[in-house]
Amino acid sequence: MDKDGIDLHRIPHKSYTDSGFHGIEFLPEDFRVDPNETTMRMNEKCSSLPAEEKGIHIINIRAIEDIGYVRTESTILNSFSQDPDANCKYGLYFRDGKKKVDYILVYHYKKSSFSRTLTRRIHINDLGARSVKHDQPLPGKGGEMNMDEKEPHMDYHEDDKRFRREEYESNLIQAGLELERDEDTKIHGVGFVKIHAPWSVLCREAEFMKLKMPTKKVYQIHQPNGLLRKINSVIQKITEPIQPKVAEHKQQTVKRLSYPFSREKQHLFDLSDRESFFDSKTRSTIVYEILKRTTCTKAKYSMGNGEGRKKETTLLNKRRKCDKYGITSLLANGVYSAAYPLHDGDYEDEYVEANDRKLLCEEWANYGVFYKYQPIDLVRKYFGEKIGLYFAWLGVYTQMLIPASIVGIIVFLYGCATMNENIPSMEMCDQKINITMCPLCDRTCSYWKMSSACDTARASHLFDNPATVFFSVFMALWAATFMEHWKRKQMRLNYRWDLTGFEEEEEAVKDHPRAEYEAKVLEKSLRKEYRNKETEKEKLTWKDRFPAYFTNFVSIIFMIGLTFAIVFGVIIYRISTAAALAISSSPAGRSNIRVTVTATAVIINLVVIIILDEVYGCIARWLTQIEVPKTDKSFEERLIFKAFLLKFVNAYTPIFYVAFFKGRFVGRPGDYVYIFHSFRMEECAPGGCLMELCIQLSIIMLGKQLIQNNLFEIGIPKMKKLIRYLKLKRRQPVDHEEYFKKKQRYEVDYNLEPFAGLTPEYMEMIIQFGFVTLFVASFPLAPLFALLNNIIEIRLDAKKFVTELRRPVAVRAKDIGIWYNILRGVGKLAVIINAFVISFTSDFIPRLVYLYTYSENGTMHGFVNHTLSYFNVSDFQEGTAPNDPLELGYPVQMCRYKDYREPPWSENKYEIAKDFWAVLAARLAFVIVFQNLVMFMSDFVDWIIPDIPKDISQQIHKEKVLMVEVFMKEEQGKLQLLETWRDKDKKKGENCNNHSPRPSVSHRGSVSSCHSCHVEV
């Protein structure tokens, strides 16, 4: 009697088939299965019964496990007092406890109520499974059956998916992989296929993929001598407390020579421990390559009848011809719901067996070790080179922010120290200098004293002083140095990770077509077949992609226009709010108009930027998908370009407006520029727009980092995990025994968030890099805030990768790809933008022009008066004069405004003065000189710093020489062995000649002479 109340008796020795037993065939006892044919091992969790204890022979079983066969008349289920999954290490190994699980395929299934009562674990034998022909069903799944008699009613689509899975898994077994199925899980309706790659498959695929593996040859790494060696030892002792406590991070003095793996040259490699020769990251990569190229083309049913059925049949036949569908298309079509490698184990419990994941959690994904270096080699060992390079780049970028932050703090402190010595701001704050300014708006605004803007003028000096010019030059050189430093670091990592000869492999990966591209080509070829046109090899041309290109162009233009429209709406808000506050009855409201309007407008901009960032990311992915790029590399590059373009415009458009457009198209009193004939354009404060630019930049930068980069990254994955947990809890039945049963590793990993790529991580940092470099002249503290954010960001991303995400497939890469070119472009653009910020946004150039051209005593006294023009209040247009002209307590005849124009008593009154053209010429000259000088200095830094460190180039050359020596010694050994064999052959021939030449008769009657001693080598 089994646990479901089913009495399983011995079956008579005759062919018997019961429709109640779905997929079970009982064959006569005299039927003998050849061991080279399909066999099945029935497992009781992790052990199997001896063959002599089986009462019947079973050749085809589906959805049955834990059945023990004994000599008695009945067969019962064996029970275990201990945890049956302990030997399997809870899903890390097959049930035999020996074969490691390298990859997991997940699928959803639907079963009848009867079949669900039976246990559902099937182990596919290695040797037997490999002998299954391509057209035969997989062992343990049953043969072709009559749907009316043996199967309950099922959805045809679900049934088709099941048969596709069977064919695909059969092909995987033919490729050499070993599979084990598990549907007896705590997640109801979800099945798992465990995949193991045996040693022979690993060796074969490693040779195909040209994986560089360590050989037995060990050589000494070049170490500096003399003074450099002492300096390095001192640095090591000083930095020892901030080094992670992992073996991979320790400085190596020797290195194993690496060579692309070859089965013919296995003697070159250290194969003493085969279990650890291919680590888990390499094993999963190899399995994933097999999954990608293994095809699935068949289906049991055609979806529909008549023409639909014919089309479906044609489609399937064409797929067989196409023969390029792998795991990606099966995932896209829902045949499998997920595919991922397993994490190495748990990380939370103290008593958990030591593994790389637990070590990473303790020494890397932990906020308590924020001050330590990252264990980059261990990250690469666990996640692969591509993710390792991202975190290495992020670490280098964060380290380089330290000197930039220190210089930025010094520049800011210089502005604080010289605030009381700044003559222009002192003149603006002087109550004795009675300067009456023109109204800021029509009718409702009155005249105001310039001394009321004292605080703004003093604060603007913190960021508008000669030190900021130096800081702009410094940051341009810093960006060039950072790029060169990263290139050198990248070369060191390539040497350490054996990626120095990776170009050929990259080309092979780059040419691999995507599943979506193949499907589109298939659709195109089918259309031509319907038109009776012969097609050999189809591909997508620009004509096929033209609708997608047109949609991309129109969509991008529309979204950029949408961003501009939103910024324009915020401008309208600023103007209307300023006018509303001007007529406020509260004196405090009228006195803080600029601060209130600026702060609220920036917060609105921040909210809009965060929302549009998420929207633009989704739209950029959709636009890339409809283009149907051929390769994954092309898809990634196009997606990055679109997402960066849209997010760059979204993040920086409000800042560009304040920096270069606000206050430029205002007009003058009596002839202002109006929007919609009612709203007057904004003006800059008397101290300039640089202070407002600083406020805009700081709030947007800090808000994006705090809300989008940190809160979203922490909150959204946890929210998704909670929703997924609640759905699973509501969907699966309540079973107390199952509830307390410990989950398998693959079940736990299935509940984690899928890995979505590194594009969002890089995008955050590139936008931040723009904030740090593009407008650094207006905000010297930007590198400091970026540094503080990145210290948290590194540990946050690390925690997310280790604990919140499924383990991604390791991808080999020797650089950060297109992101490096984007960084270089942002660095070059930063030089130009900072030149324009210093020239046109700040008052640096007007001050220099005044100091060396118009100052009477060589000081800045009189500069404020020089920058203000006169306006006669009688020249106001009708309906624009202040409603209360006596608000200051006295009648005003002349008011001042910031511009270089002729006074009202001049013949060309209110025309642009010569001073304006002199200042404009100086500004343009400064832009040209600054840009070319800084560009030259940056290129000089690029040229003077070699991309490849000298010691690394020497080590690479040394490796090549050593490899030649190894093969030369091998050839010499072969020649010596050949010579030895020849000498032995000669000696045997001489011995034969010394004997009597009598013929000898063999046992077959043939005559053999003494020359039969000759041995050919």
Side-chain angles (χ1 to χ4, degrees):
M1 184 78 66
D2 75 344
K3 63 181 180 180
D4 296 298
I6 301 174
D7 191 11
L8 302 177
H9 295 282
R10 181 185 298 274
I11 309 299
H13 294 168
K14 62 181 180 178
S15 179
Y16 178 81
T17 303
D18 188 348
S19 60
F21 290 85
H22 301 287
I24 304 178
E25 297 178 12
F26 300 98
L27 300 182
E29 191 176 32
D30 59 348
F31 184 88
R32 293 294 180 262
V33 181
D34 193 290
N36 293 326
E37 294 180 357
T38 304
T39 60
M40 179 72 62
R41 289 188 308 199
M42 298 309 302
N43 293 282
E44 296 178 4
K45 297 296 182 183
C46 293
S47 62
S48 58
L49 283 169
E52 60 270 14
E53 291 187 14
K54 298 179 182 178
I56 56 174
H57 296 282
I58 299 178
I59 186 61
N60 213 337
I61 301 175
R62 180 169 61 190
I64 295 180
E65 69 162 346
D66 297 341
I67 300 178
Y69 297 93
V70 295
R71 296 181 183 274
T72 61
E73 290 297 320
S74 64
T75 304
I76 60 173
L77 294 174
N78 291 334
S79 60
F80 290 83
S81 58
Q82 60 181 1
D83 189 352
D85 292 329
N87 293 338
C88 323
K89 295 189 178 179
Y90 298 99
L92 288 174
Y93 288 81
F94 276 21
R95 287 188 297 277
D96 59 8
K98 297 177 181 179
K99 297 175 183 177
K100 189 173 183 180
V101 177
D102 299 318
Y103 217 87
I104 292 291
L105 299 180
V106 187
Y107 60 92
H108 292 274
Y109 66 90
K110 295 180 181 179
K111 285 200 170 186
S112 64
S113 59
F114 171 79
S115 61
R116 196 176 292 127
T117 61
L118 298 178
T119 48
R120 295 173 292 270
R121 288 192 181 182
I122 300 170
H123 180 78
I124 301 171
N125 189 295
D126 176 27
L127 295 174
R130 291 187 197 176
S131 65
V132 182
K133 295 182 180 180
H134 184 78
D135 294 332
Q136 295 296 325
L138 282 176
K141 296 186 179 181
E144 298 290 337
M145 294 178 295
N146 189 339
M147 290 292 296
D148 297 332
E149 295 179 2
K150 295 188 178 182
E151 286 191 1
H153 177 72
M154 295 183 67
D155 183 13
Y156 284 155
H157 291 280
E158 292 297 326
D159 202 26
D160 184 70
K161 289 179 183 179
R162 179 167 60 85
F163 274 83
R164 288 183 187 276
R165 285 196 296 269
E166 289 179 3
E167 185 208 353
Y168 184 70
E169 290 162 14
S170 176
N171 293 341
L172 290 179
I173 294 170
Q174 286 187 347
L177 299 178
E178 297 180 11
L179 310 182
E180 187 176 79
R181 186 183 304 280
D182 186 2
E183 293 181 356
D184 184 23
T185 63
K186 294 182 71 174
I187 306 175
H188 179 67
V190 176
F192 297 88
V193 177
K194 295 175 278 187
I195 302 176
H196 168 76
W199 172 258
S200 58
V201 174
L202 293 173
C203 293
R204 182 192 72 204
E205 297 298 323
E207 184 174 353
F208 291 165
M209 296 169 65
K210 299 179 182 178
L211 294 180
K212 278 192 171 184
M213 304 302 295
T215 63
K216 297 176 183 177
K217 179 69 176 178
V218 179
Y219 67 95
Q220 194 80 17
I221 297 177
H222 175 73
Q223 299 292 332
N225 298 318
L227 182 61
L228 286 176
R229 186 172 185 176
K230 293 181 180 179
I231 294 174
N232 287 344
S233 63
V234 171
I235 293 174
Q236 287 178 10
K237 289 180 181 179
I238 294 174
T239 59
E240 187 174 358
I242 60 175
Q243 299 291 345
K245 297 178 182 178
V246 296
E248 286 80 2
H249 196 75
K250 294 180 180 178
Q251 186 175 6
Q252 304 293 331
T253 57
V254 295
K255 185 178 183 292
R256 286 189 178 273
L257 194 63
S258 295
Y259 185 73
F261 187 82
S262 172
R263 287 172 289 181
E264 295 179 355
K265 300 184 183 298
Q266 287 193 31
H267 58 278
L268 295 177
F269 302 93
D270 184 11
L271 303 180
S272 56
D273 186 6
R274 290 191 173 187
E275 292 298 322
S276 61
F277 184 74
F278 294 106
D279 56 18
S280 59
K281 175 255 305 180
T282 307
R283 296 175 71 100
S284 63
T285 304
I286 288 174
V287 173
Y288 182 65
E289 288 297 321
I290 298 175
L291 293 177
K292 281 200 300 185
R293 72 166 184 260
T294 303
T295 60
C296 175
T297 59
K298 296 182 181 179
K300 185 176 181 182
Y301 302 108
S302 296
M303 306 306 173
N305 298 316
E307 292 299 322
R309 183 164 184 170
K310 291 179 182 178
K311 291 181 180 179
E312 180 68 19
T313 304
T314 307
L315 179 66
L316 293 174
N317 291 334
K318 191 66 182 176
R319 280 184 178 176
R320 292 190 188 99
K321 294 176 185 177
C322 185
D323 202 31
K324 287 187 179 180
Y325 286 94
I327 187 62
T328 52
S329 61
L330 295 177
L331 289 170
N333 295 327
V335 178
Y336 291 100
S337 57
Y340 52 88
L342 291 179
H343 280 292
D344 278 359
D346 291 327
Y347 60 90
E348 292 176 324
D349 197 350
E350 295 181 5
Y351 303 102
V352 171
E353 184 179 351
N355 57 71
D356 287 342
R357 188 187 188 194
K358 188 172 187 293
L359 188 58
L360 282 171
C361 193
E362 293 172 352
E363 295 294 328
W364 183 51
N366 187 355
Y367 294 110
V369 294
F370 71 92
Y371 58 91
K372 288 188 177 183
Y373 286 100
Q374 299 182 84
I376 293 298
D377 291 324
L378 184 59
V379 175
R380 173 254 178 180
K381 177 185 174 184
Y382 193 79
F383 291 109
E385 287 79 7
K386 191 170 185 177
I387 294 176
L389 282 172
Y390 163 71
F391 281 102
W393 173 83
L394 184 57
V396 170
Y397 172 48
T398 304
Q399 289 176 7
M400 289 294 292
L401 283 173
I402 296 175
S405 302
I406 293 172
V407 176
I409 292 172
I410 293 173
V411 170
F412 179 74
L413 294 177
Y414 171 81
C416 295
T418 59
M419 185 184 297
N420 295 326
E421 301 174 5
N422 183 37
I423 296 175
S425 60
M426 291 172 62
E427 287 184 348
M428 291 182 65
C429 296
D430 192 354
Q431 298 286 346
K432 298 178 182 178
I433 303 177
N434 190 14
I435 298 179
T436 303
M437 304 296 293
C438 294
L440 296 175
C441 60
D442 294 342
R443 295 189 300 275
T444 56
C445 300
S446 185
Y447 306 105
W448 56 285
K449 293 279 190 179
M450 191 178 66
S451 57
S452 63
C454 175
D455 294 337
T456 305
R458 288 171 61 85
S460 63
H461 178 72
L462 296 174
F463 309 102
D464 189 5
N465 56 68
T468 56
V469 180
F470 158 76
F471 191 55
S472 300
V473 177
F474 170 81
M475 287 303 294
L477 298 179
W478 172 87
T481 307
F482 162 60
M483 300 304 295
E484 290 302 311
H485 178 49
W486 166 243
K487 281 197 290 188
R488 291 170 63 85
K489 177 71 173 179
Q490 193 171 255
M491 279 305 304
R492 289 189 181 277
L493 293 176
N494 286 341
Y495 164 72
R496 213 157 70 203
W497 296 348
D498 299 319
L499 295 171
T500 48
F502 189 61
E503 288 81 6
E504 299 85 1
E505 300 159 30
E506 279 186 329
E507 290 297 322
V509 173
K510 187 174 68 175
D511 292 336
H512 185 75
R514 295 172 61 246
E516 292 82 357
Y517 178 84
E518 292 289 344
K520 202 74 175 177
V521 171
L522 174 62
E523 184 183 340
K524 180 181 178 182
S525 60
L526 286 176
R527 284 200 305 266
K528 287 195 174 183
E529 277 193 0
Y530 290 154
R531 297 170 189 168
N532 298 322
K533 292 183 179 180
E534 291 296 328
T535 58
E536 293 183 358
K537 188 175 181 181
E538 290 293 335
K539 63 179 182 179
L540 297 184
T541 62
W542 69 270
K543 293 181 180 179
D544 301 316
R545 290 195 173 104
F546 179 76
Y549 289 154
F550 182 75
T551 305
N552 271 259
F553 177 77
V554 173
S555 300
I556 290 174
I557 295 297
F558 171 77
M559 286 182 283
I560 292 175
L562 176 65
T563 304
F564 290 161
I566 291 173
V567 172
F568 183 74
V570 174
I571 294 171
I572 299 297
Y573 163 81
R574 295 161 68 109
I575 296 171
S576 58
T577 305
L581 290 176
I583 60 175
S584 173
S585 58
S586 171
R590 291 197 303 270
S591 61
N592 297 316
I593 291 177
R594 289 187 182 276
V595 176
T596 305
V597 170
T598 301
T600 55
V602 171
I603 292 173
I604 293 172
N605 277 326
L606 174 62
V607 173
V608 170
I609 286 171
I610 291 174
I611 294 173
L612 288 184
D613 256 4
E614 302 300 322
V615 174
Y616 287 169
C618 298
I619 293 177
R621 178 168 291 276
W622 174 73
L623 290 175
T624 310
Q625 287 173 348
I626 64 174
E627 282 186 7
V628 197
K630 183 176 181 180
T631 62
D632 288 328
K633 186 179 179 66
S634 176
F635 180 88
E636 185 180 20
E637 289 180 351
R638 295 186 186 200
L639 173 62
I640 289 170
F641 173 75
K642 293 181 183 67
F644 176 74
L645 176 63
L646 294 175
K647 293 189 177 185
F648 183 89
V649 172
N650 181 41
Y652 294 112
T653 299
I655 301 173
F656 269 92
Y657 164 73
V658 175
F660 303 121
F661 296 98
K662 184 179 179 181
R664 310 292 172 192
F665 312 101
V666 177
R668 60 171 180 81
D671 188 20
Y672 283 113
V673 177
Y674 291 90
I675 301 175
F676 304 134
H677 303 287
S678 56
F679 297 108
R680 215 173 83 184
M681 287 293 292
E682 292 182 285
E683 298 180 47
C684 288
C689 283
L690 199 66
M691 185 62 199
E692 187 174 344
L693 176 62
C694 173
I695 295 172
Q696 184 103 0
L697 183 66
S698 60
I699 292 179
I700 291 177
M701 178 182 176
L702 296 178
K704 269 182 65 67
Q705 290 183 350
L706 180 64
I707 298 173
Q708 194 172 23
N709 297 4
N710 293 332
L711 293 182
F712 281 12
E713 285 196 19
I714 296 173
I716 290 179
K718 289 189 179 295
M719 190 180 299
K720 288 182 178 179
K721 187 177 180 181
L722 178 62
I723 293 172
R724 202 159 46 242
Y725 170 75
L726 294 175
K727 283 183 179 179
L728 290 172
K729 188 177 180 181
R730 187 172 64 250
R731 188 172 61 185
Q732 64 190 24
V734 178
D735 188 339
H736 294 288
E737 182 182 348
E738 289 289 320
Y739 180 79
F740 290 105
K741 174 183 165 184
K742 185 173 180 180
K743 282 188 176 182
Q744 303 289 324
R745 177 78 263 153
Y746 42 87
E747 295 179 74
V748 177
D749 286 3
Y750 178 68
N751 290 329
L752 298 178
E753 187 73 14
F755 175 65
L758 290 171
T759 300
E761 315 298 335
Y762 274 114
M763 192 67 69
E764 293 172 12
M765 293 298 104
I766 299 298
I767 296 296
Q768 185 203 84
F769 182 77
F771 283 123
V772 169
T773 55
L774 292 179
F775 296 93
V776 74
S778 63
F779 190 39
L781 295 179
L784 174 63
F785 289 114
L787 173 64
L788 296 176
N789 174 79
N790 287 5
I791 291 173
I792 301 172
E793 181 76 18
I794 289 175
R795 307 302 164 180
L796 180 64
D797 283 349
K799 199 170 188 65
K800 182 173 69 174
F801 272 82
V802 174
T803 65
E804 301 289 338
L805 298 179
R806 293 175 192 163
R807 188 174 183 178
V809 180
V811 178
R812 287 181 296 166
K814 64 181 299 184
D815 52 40
I816 59 175
I818 194 174
W819 296 109
Y820 181 81
N821 297 328
I822 293 176
L823 283 169
R824 286 188 66 88
V826 172
K828 299 292 184 184
L829 183 63
V831 177
I832 301 172
I833 290 178
N834 280 306
F836 277 95
V837 168
I838 295 170
S839 294
F840 289 90
T841 309
S842 73
D843 284 338
F844 178 74
I845 298 301
R847 288 172 186 169
L848 285 181
V849 172
Y850 176 80
L851 183 64
Y852 293 106
T853 307
Y854 300 104
S855 178
E856 297 178 354
N857 51 9
T859 64
M860 292 301 296
H861 287 288
F863 170 74
V864 174
N865 186 64
H866 180 262
T867 59
L868 299 176
S869 298
Y870 289 91
F871 178 75
N872 194 332
V873 297
S874 61
D875 294 330
F876 271 121
Q877 291 181 353
E878 185 178 354
T880 60
N883 294 334
D884 186 9
L886 300 176
E887 185 175 335
L888 294 178
Y890 56 87
V892 177
Q893 300 297 326
M894 291 284 182
C895 65
R896 309 291 295 275
Y897 61 99
K898 189 174 182 180
D899 204 350
Y900 291 102
R901 290 184 180 269
E902 296 290 344
W905 55 82
S906 173
E907 293 181 0
N908 303 317
K909 67 176 184 178
Y910 307 134
E911 294 292 329
I912 296 176
K914 295 180 179 179
D915 299 345
F916 171 83
W917 301 111
V919 172
L920 179 62
R923 282 173 165 168
L924 295 175
F926 176 83
V927 168
I928 295 171
V929 173
F930 181 89
Q931 175 186 336
N932 287 279
L933 178 63
V934 175
M935 289 282 192
F936 170 77
M937 295 171 69
S938 300
D939 292 340
F940 180 75
V941 170
D942 290 348
W943 174 76
I944 201 172
I945 301 177
D947 294 345
I948 305 176
K950 186 177 180 181
D951 59 326
I952 296 299
S953 61
Q954 291 175 349
Q955 297 292 347
I956 293 173
H957 178 70
K958 185 178 180 179
E959 275 197 353
K960 292 180 180 178
V961 173
L962 288 174
M963 187 55 65
V964 171
E965 290 179 359
V966 168
F967 284 114
M968 290 297 294
K969 287 181 180 179
E970 185 181 359
E971 292 297 322
Q972 290 175 1
K974 289 180 180 178
L975 290 174
Q976 289 177 359
L977 183 61
L978 191 61
E979 291 293 332
T980 304
W981 284 347
R982 285 178 178 174
D983 292 342
K984 288 181 179 180
D985 184 44
K986 287 181 180 179
K987 289 179 181 179
K988 288 182 180 179
E990 291 175 357
N991 292 335
C992 288
N993 290 331
N994 291 334
H995 290 293
S996 174
R998 288 176 300 178
S1000 59
V1001 180
S1002 66
H1003 66 280
R1004 295 188 182 184
S1006 60
V1007 179
S1008 60
S1009 67
C1010 65
H1011 295 289
S1012 62
C1013 301
H1014 180 71
V1015 179
E1016 291 187 1
V1017 179

